Amino acid sequence: MNDLQPILLPGTGTRRPAVIAGPCSAETEEQVLATARQLAAEGIRVLRAGLWKPRTKPGGFEGVGTKGIAWLQRAKRETGLFIATEVATPAHVEAALAGGIDLLWIGARTTANPFAVQEIADALRGRDIPVLVKNPVSPDLELWIGAVERIRNTGIRRLGVIHRGFASIDKSIYRNHPMWAIPIELRRRHPQLPVYCDPSHIGGKRELIAPLAQQAMDLGFDGLIVETHCSPDEAWSDKAQQITPAALAGMLRNLVIRETSGATENLNELRAKIDKLDDRLVELLAERMDVSREIGRCKREHAMPVLQARRYEELLARRTAQAAELGMDREFMRGILQLIHEESVRQQIELPEKE
Ligand code: PEP
Ligand code: MN
Protein backbone atom coordinates (compact mmCIF):
# COMPACT_ATOMS: atom_id res chain seq x y z
CA MET A 1 0.00 0.00 0.00
CA ASN A 2 2.92 2.30 -0.65
CA ASP A 3 1.39 4.33 -3.42
CA LEU A 4 -1.28 5.96 -1.25
CA GLN A 5 -1.45 9.73 -1.10
CA PRO A 6 -0.89 11.13 2.35
CA ILE A 7 -3.04 14.22 1.88
CA LEU A 8 -6.60 13.14 2.00
CA LEU A 9 -8.53 16.18 0.93
CA PRO A 10 -7.77 19.44 -0.75
CA GLY A 11 -7.49 22.05 1.95
CA THR A 12 -6.88 19.76 4.90
CA GLY A 13 -3.10 19.84 4.43
CA THR A 14 -0.86 17.89 6.74
CA ARG A 15 -1.41 19.98 9.86
CA ARG A 16 -2.77 17.91 12.72
CA PRO A 17 -5.51 17.31 13.35
CA ALA A 18 -7.39 17.25 10.06
CA VAL A 19 -11.00 17.58 11.22
CA ILE A 20 -14.23 16.17 9.84
CA ALA A 21 -17.31 17.26 11.78
CA GLY A 22 -21.06 17.20 11.47
CA PRO A 23 -24.14 15.42 12.66
CA CYS A 24 -24.44 11.70 13.15
CA SER A 25 -27.41 11.92 10.76
CA ALA A 26 -28.74 14.45 8.33
CA GLU A 27 -32.23 15.05 9.76
CA THR A 28 -33.66 18.12 8.05
CA GLU A 29 -32.36 20.63 5.56
CA GLU A 30 -32.41 23.32 8.29
CA GLN A 31 -30.40 21.18 10.72
CA VAL A 32 -27.76 20.36 8.07
CA LEU A 33 -27.45 24.01 7.01
CA ALA A 34 -27.39 25.42 10.54
CA THR A 35 -24.71 22.94 11.61
CA ALA A 36 -22.69 23.54 8.42
CA ARG A 37 -22.79 27.31 8.82
CA GLN A 38 -21.66 27.14 12.43
CA LEU A 39 -18.88 24.70 11.58
CA ALA A 40 -17.66 26.85 8.69
CA ALA A 41 -17.65 29.86 11.01
CA GLU A 42 -15.38 27.89 13.36
CA GLY A 43 -12.94 27.15 10.55
CA ILE A 44 -13.88 23.51 9.94
CA ARG A 45 -13.38 22.39 6.32
CA VAL A 46 -15.16 19.03 6.01
CA LEU A 47 -18.80 18.30 6.89
CA ARG A 48 -19.95 14.80 7.75
CA ALA A 49 -23.57 13.64 7.85
CA GLY A 50 -25.00 10.12 7.77
CA LEU A 51 -27.71 9.65 5.12
CA TRP A 52 -28.14 5.91 5.42
CA LYS A 53 -27.99 4.87 9.05
CA PRO A 54 -27.26 1.27 10.02
CA ARG A 55 -29.46 0.65 13.06
CA THR A 56 -29.27 -2.26 15.43
CA LYS A 57 -33.05 -2.83 15.36
CA PRO A 58 -35.69 -2.07 12.73
CA GLY A 59 -38.12 0.72 13.42
CA GLY A 60 -35.60 3.36 14.48
CA PHE A 61 -34.61 6.37 12.38
CA GLU A 62 -32.81 4.83 9.43
CA GLY A 63 -31.63 8.04 7.82
CA VAL A 64 -33.23 10.36 5.28
CA GLY A 65 -31.50 8.57 2.41
CA THR A 66 -30.86 10.01 -1.02
CA LYS A 67 -32.96 13.12 -0.52
CA GLY A 68 -30.40 14.41 1.97
CA ILE A 69 -27.77 14.67 -0.77
CA ALA A 70 -29.39 17.90 -1.99
CA TRP A 71 -29.07 19.33 1.56
CA LEU A 72 -25.38 18.50 1.66
CA GLN A 73 -24.91 20.02 -1.78
CA ARG A 74 -26.58 23.20 -0.58
CA ALA A 75 -24.39 23.26 2.52
CA LYS A 76 -21.35 22.90 0.28
CA ARG A 77 -22.53 25.68 -2.05
CA GLU A 78 -23.28 28.07 0.77
CA THR A 79 -20.32 27.39 3.06
CA GLY A 80 -17.60 25.94 0.85
CA LEU A 81 -17.31 22.90 3.12
CA PHE A 82 -16.33 19.56 1.59
CA ILE A 83 -19.06 16.98 2.20
CA ALA A 84 -18.69 13.42 3.49
CA THR A 85 -21.10 10.56 4.07
CA GLU A 86 -21.19 6.85 4.90
CA VAL A 87 -21.83 4.29 2.18
CA ALA A 88 -22.85 0.72 2.85
CA THR A 89 -24.05 -0.55 -0.55
CA PRO A 90 -23.19 -0.05 -4.24
CA ALA A 91 -26.42 1.96 -4.59
CA HIS A 92 -25.18 4.36 -1.89
CA VAL A 93 -21.89 4.72 -3.75
CA GLU A 94 -23.66 5.52 -7.01
CA ALA A 95 -25.95 8.07 -5.37
CA ALA A 96 -23.06 9.71 -3.48
CA LEU A 97 -20.82 9.94 -6.54
CA ALA A 98 -23.65 11.26 -8.70
CA GLY A 99 -24.43 13.79 -5.96
CA GLY A 100 -20.93 15.24 -5.78
CA ILE A 101 -20.04 13.96 -2.31
CA ASP A 102 -16.31 14.69 -1.72
CA LEU A 103 -15.40 11.90 0.70
CA LEU A 104 -16.90 8.53 1.59
CA TRP A 105 -16.50 6.41 4.65
CA ILE A 106 -17.33 2.80 5.28
CA GLY A 107 -19.03 2.13 8.60
CA ALA A 108 -17.94 -0.34 11.26
CA ARG A 109 -20.74 -2.82 10.59
CA THR A 110 -19.97 -2.83 6.88
CA THR A 111 -16.20 -3.28 7.33
CA ALA A 112 -17.01 -6.41 9.31
CA ASN A 113 -18.48 -8.00 6.16
CA PRO A 114 -16.01 -8.73 3.34
CA PHE A 115 -18.81 -9.38 0.82
CA ALA A 116 -20.29 -5.95 1.46
CA VAL A 117 -16.87 -4.28 1.29
CA GLN A 118 -16.11 -6.05 -1.99
CA GLU A 119 -19.40 -4.85 -3.49
CA ILE A 120 -18.59 -1.29 -2.47
CA ALA A 121 -15.08 -1.68 -3.84
CA ASP A 122 -16.46 -2.89 -7.18
CA ALA A 123 -18.76 0.13 -7.33
CA LEU A 124 -15.75 2.39 -6.72
CA ARG A 125 -13.57 0.84 -9.42
CA GLY A 126 -12.06 3.46 -11.68
CA ARG A 127 -13.37 6.38 -9.60
CA ASP A 128 -11.21 8.88 -7.77
CA ILE A 129 -12.62 9.83 -4.38
CA PRO A 130 -11.07 9.71 -0.91
CA VAL A 131 -12.34 6.80 1.20
CA LEU A 132 -11.99 6.26 4.93
CA VAL A 133 -12.48 2.77 6.33
CA LYS A 134 -13.76 2.49 9.88
CA ASN A 135 -12.51 -0.40 11.96
CA PRO A 136 -14.82 -3.41 12.13
CA VAL A 137 -17.00 -3.69 15.24
CA SER A 138 -14.88 -6.57 16.55
CA PRO A 139 -11.19 -6.10 17.42
CA ASP A 140 -9.93 -7.78 14.25
CA LEU A 141 -7.00 -5.94 12.70
CA GLU A 142 -6.72 -8.32 9.72
CA LEU A 143 -10.37 -7.74 8.80
CA TRP A 144 -9.78 -3.98 8.98
CA ILE A 145 -6.67 -4.12 6.79
CA GLY A 146 -8.42 -6.55 4.45
CA ALA A 147 -11.20 -4.01 3.87
CA VAL A 148 -8.64 -1.28 3.13
CA GLU A 149 -6.92 -3.61 0.66
CA ARG A 150 -10.20 -4.40 -1.12
CA ILE A 151 -10.80 -0.68 -1.66
CA ARG A 152 -7.21 -0.04 -2.63
CA ASN A 153 -7.23 -2.88 -5.16
CA THR A 154 -9.87 -1.03 -7.18
CA GLY A 155 -7.48 1.84 -7.80
CA ILE A 156 -8.59 4.23 -5.02
CA ARG A 157 -5.41 5.96 -3.82
CA ARG A 158 -6.64 8.55 -1.34
CA LEU A 159 -7.36 6.15 1.48
CA GLY A 160 -7.38 6.39 5.25
CA VAL A 161 -8.83 4.68 8.28
CA ILE A 162 -11.03 5.71 11.18
CA HIS A 163 -10.54 4.24 14.62
CA ARG A 164 -13.98 4.20 16.28
CA GLY A 165 -13.33 1.65 19.01
CA PHE A 166 -14.41 -1.96 19.39
CA ALA A 167 -17.41 -3.71 20.89
CA SER A 168 -16.41 -5.50 24.05
CA ILE A 169 -18.19 -7.54 26.67
CA ASP A 170 -16.03 -5.91 29.33
CA LYS A 171 -17.85 -3.23 31.28
CA SER A 172 -16.14 0.07 30.69
CA ILE A 173 -16.77 3.78 30.58
CA TYR A 174 -16.60 3.65 26.78
CA ARG A 175 -19.34 2.87 24.30
CA ASN A 176 -16.68 1.15 22.20
CA HIS A 177 -13.42 0.18 23.79
CA PRO A 178 -10.48 2.11 22.26
CA MET A 179 -7.99 -0.81 22.38
CA TRP A 180 -5.32 1.63 21.17
CA ALA A 181 -2.86 -1.18 20.49
CA ILE A 182 -4.86 -2.13 17.38
CA PRO A 183 -4.69 1.20 15.50
CA ILE A 184 -1.09 1.56 16.68
CA GLU A 185 -0.21 -1.78 15.12
CA LEU A 186 -2.04 -0.73 11.95
CA ARG A 187 0.09 2.43 11.82
CA ARG A 188 3.23 0.39 12.33
CA ARG A 189 2.36 -1.85 9.40
CA HIS A 190 0.99 0.87 7.12
CA PRO A 191 2.57 4.14 8.20
CA GLN A 192 1.42 5.92 5.05
CA LEU A 193 -2.29 5.44 5.85
CA PRO A 194 -3.77 8.52 7.55
CA VAL A 195 -5.52 7.55 10.79
CA TYR A 196 -8.54 9.46 12.04
CA CYS A 197 -9.96 8.97 15.50
CA ASP A 198 -13.70 9.03 16.10
CA PRO A 199 -13.90 9.96 19.79
CA SER A 200 -17.69 10.29 19.54
CA HIS A 201 -18.30 6.61 18.84
CA ILE A 202 -15.53 5.46 21.18
CA GLY A 203 -16.73 7.58 24.09
CA GLY A 204 -20.48 7.50 23.54
CA LYS A 205 -20.77 10.58 25.74
CA ARG A 206 -19.79 14.21 25.40
CA GLU A 207 -17.41 14.36 28.37
CA LEU A 208 -15.17 11.68 26.88
CA ILE A 209 -14.66 13.34 23.50
CA ALA A 210 -11.97 15.83 24.54
CA PRO A 211 -9.77 13.39 26.50
CA LEU A 212 -10.03 10.79 23.74
CA ALA A 213 -9.15 13.36 21.09
CA GLN A 214 -6.13 14.41 23.14
CA GLN A 215 -5.03 10.82 23.51
CA ALA A 216 -5.34 10.29 19.75
CA MET A 217 -3.17 13.36 19.15
CA ASP A 218 -0.60 12.17 21.69
CA LEU A 219 -0.44 8.90 19.77
CA GLY A 220 0.26 10.77 16.55
CA PHE A 221 -3.09 10.26 14.81
CA ASP A 222 -3.63 12.50 11.79
CA GLY A 223 -7.23 13.54 12.20
CA LEU A 224 -10.49 13.54 14.10
CA ILE A 225 -14.05 12.88 12.99
CA VAL A 226 -16.40 14.32 15.57
CA GLU A 227 -20.20 14.18 15.69
CA THR A 228 -21.37 17.76 15.87
CA HIS A 229 -24.95 19.04 15.85
CA CYS A 230 -26.52 22.49 16.03
CA SER A 231 -28.80 21.21 18.87
CA PRO A 232 -27.24 18.03 20.21
CA ASP A 233 -29.99 17.36 22.76
CA GLU A 234 -32.54 17.17 19.97
CA ALA A 235 -30.52 14.89 17.69
CA TRP A 236 -32.43 11.99 16.16
CA SER A 237 -29.51 9.59 16.64
CA ASP A 238 -26.51 9.37 19.00
CA LYS A 239 -27.53 12.48 20.93
CA ALA A 240 -25.48 11.69 24.04
CA GLN A 241 -22.24 11.91 22.05
CA GLN A 242 -22.88 14.96 19.87
CA ILE A 243 -21.49 18.40 20.67
CA THR A 244 -22.15 21.86 19.26
CA PRO A 245 -19.80 23.40 16.69
CA ALA A 246 -18.76 25.95 19.33
CA ALA A 247 -17.91 23.18 21.80
CA LEU A 248 -15.94 21.41 19.09
CA ALA A 249 -13.97 24.58 18.34
CA GLY A 250 -13.26 25.05 22.06
CA MET A 251 -12.03 21.49 22.34
CA LEU A 252 -9.78 21.87 19.29
CA ARG A 253 -8.27 25.05 20.73
CA ASN A 254 -7.43 23.21 23.95
CA LEU A 255 -5.78 20.25 22.26
CA VAL A 256 -2.05 20.06 22.87
CA ILE A 257 -0.33 19.02 19.66
CA ARG A 258 3.14 17.72 20.26
CA GLU A 259 4.92 17.54 16.95
CA THR A 260 6.74 14.38 17.78
CA SER A 261 7.96 13.67 14.26
CA GLY A 262 10.15 16.80 14.06
CA ALA A 263 11.50 16.19 17.54
CA THR A 264 12.25 12.61 16.66
CA GLU A 265 14.10 13.58 13.49
CA ASN A 266 16.16 16.09 15.41
CA LEU A 267 16.87 13.55 18.12
CA ASN A 268 17.89 10.95 15.57
CA GLU A 269 20.36 13.38 14.03
CA LEU A 270 21.86 14.20 17.42
CA ARG A 271 22.09 10.53 18.31
CA ALA A 272 23.91 9.84 15.06
CA LYS A 273 26.42 12.56 15.98
CA ILE A 274 26.93 11.02 19.42
CA ASP A 275 27.46 7.61 17.85
CA LYS A 276 30.16 9.03 15.56
CA LEU A 277 31.90 10.77 18.45
CA ASP A 278 31.75 7.61 20.55
CA ASP A 279 33.30 5.68 17.66
CA ARG A 280 36.17 8.13 17.64
CA LEU A 281 36.49 8.03 21.43
CA VAL A 282 36.73 4.24 21.50
CA GLU A 283 39.20 4.20 18.60
CA LEU A 284 41.32 6.86 20.30
CA LEU A 285 41.31 4.93 23.57
CA ALA A 286 42.36 1.77 21.75
CA GLU A 287 45.14 3.70 20.04
CA ARG A 288 46.18 5.15 23.39
CA MET A 289 46.36 1.66 24.92
CA ASP A 290 48.54 0.52 21.99
CA VAL A 291 50.93 3.35 22.81
CA SER A 292 50.82 2.39 26.53
CA ARG A 293 51.87 -1.14 25.67
CA GLU A 294 54.68 0.25 23.55
CA ILE A 295 55.78 2.39 26.51
CA GLY A 296 55.62 -0.72 28.71
CA ARG A 297 57.98 -2.53 26.35
CA CYS A 298 60.31 0.43 26.29
CA LYS A 299 60.36 0.75 30.10
CA ARG A 300 61.09 -2.95 30.46
CA GLU A 301 63.96 -2.74 28.01
CA HIS A 302 65.46 0.09 30.01
CA ALA A 303 64.53 -1.45 33.36
CA MET A 304 62.42 1.53 34.34
CA PRO A 305 59.49 1.37 36.82
CA VAL A 306 56.00 1.32 35.29
CA LEU A 307 54.56 3.90 37.67
CA GLN A 308 56.07 7.32 37.31
CA ALA A 309 54.17 9.47 39.75
CA ARG A 310 55.46 12.86 38.65
CA ARG A 311 54.53 12.35 35.04
CA TYR A 312 51.02 11.23 36.11
CA GLU A 313 50.56 14.28 38.37
CA GLU A 314 51.59 16.58 35.57
CA LEU A 315 49.25 14.91 33.14
CA LEU A 316 46.32 15.15 35.58
CA ALA A 317 46.92 18.85 36.28
CA ARG A 318 47.29 19.75 32.60
CA ARG A 319 44.24 17.83 31.37
CA THR A 320 41.87 18.90 34.18
CA ALA A 321 42.84 22.53 33.50
CA GLN A 322 42.24 22.03 29.77
CA ALA A 323 38.85 20.41 30.51
CA ALA A 324 37.84 23.37 32.68
CA GLU A 325 38.81 25.76 29.89
CA LEU A 326 36.56 23.82 27.53
CA GLY A 327 33.62 24.12 29.93
CA MET A 328 33.82 20.66 31.47
CA ASP A 329 33.87 19.68 35.10
CA ARG A 330 37.39 19.15 36.53
CA GLU A 331 36.33 16.25 38.76
CA PHE A 332 34.63 14.51 35.89
CA MET A 333 37.85 14.78 33.86
CA ARG A 334 39.96 13.66 36.81
CA GLY A 335 37.76 10.53 37.14
CA ILE A 336 38.12 9.69 33.47
CA LEU A 337 41.89 10.23 33.51
CA GLN A 338 42.25 8.04 36.58
CA LEU A 339 40.35 5.21 34.86
CA ILE A 340 42.44 5.59 31.71
CA HIS A 341 45.63 5.70 33.71
CA GLU A 342 44.75 2.59 35.74
CA GLU A 343 44.00 0.65 32.57
CA SER A 344 47.16 1.98 30.97
CA VAL A 345 49.28 0.79 33.89
CA ARG A 346 47.52 -2.59 33.82
CA GLN A 347 48.31 -2.93 30.11
CA GLN A 348 51.97 -2.18 30.79
CA ILE A 349 52.23 -4.61 33.69
CA GLU A 350 50.22 -7.41 32.12
CA LEU A 351 52.05 -7.25 28.86
CA PRO A 352 54.60 -9.95 29.55
CA GLU A 353 51.92 -12.58 30.39
CA LYS A 354 50.00 -11.73 27.21
CA GLU A 355 52.93 -12.13 24.91
C1 PEP B 1 -21.46 6.99 12.30
O1 PEP B 1 -20.36 7.46 12.01
O2 PEP B 1 -22.47 7.68 12.51
C2 PEP B 1 -21.59 5.54 12.49
C3 PEP B 1 -22.67 4.87 12.24
O3 PEP B 1 -20.45 5.03 12.98
P1 PEP B 1 -19.95 3.51 13.17
O4 PEP B 1 -19.96 2.89 11.81
O5 PEP B 1 -18.57 3.74 13.69
O6 PEP B 1 -20.84 2.86 14.17
MN1 MN C 1 -23.35 8.16 15.00
Side-chain angles (χ1 to χ4, degrees), residues 271-298:
R271 284 181 176 148
K273 263 191 194 167
I274 290 278
D275 286 345
K276 267 194 191 152
L277 289 168
D278 284 350
D279 271 349
R280 278 169 56 197
L281 266 179
V282 173
E283 279 166 17
L284 280 172
L285 283 172
E287 220 177 297
R288 196 184 189 287
M289 292 307 156
D290 282 346
V291 176
S292 291
R293 279 192 289 273
E294 198 56 44
I295 290 179
R297 249 176 245 123
C298 190

Side-chain angles (χ1 to χ4, degrees), residues 332-349:
F332 162 73
M333 187 46 63
R334 186 185 301 279
I336 286 191
L337 289 167
Q338 272 165 357
L339 281 175
I340 292 177
H341 184 252
E342 273 167 32
E343 178 61 10
S344 197
V345 168
R346 195 177 68 84
Q347 292 286 334
Q348 293 180 28
I349 293 172

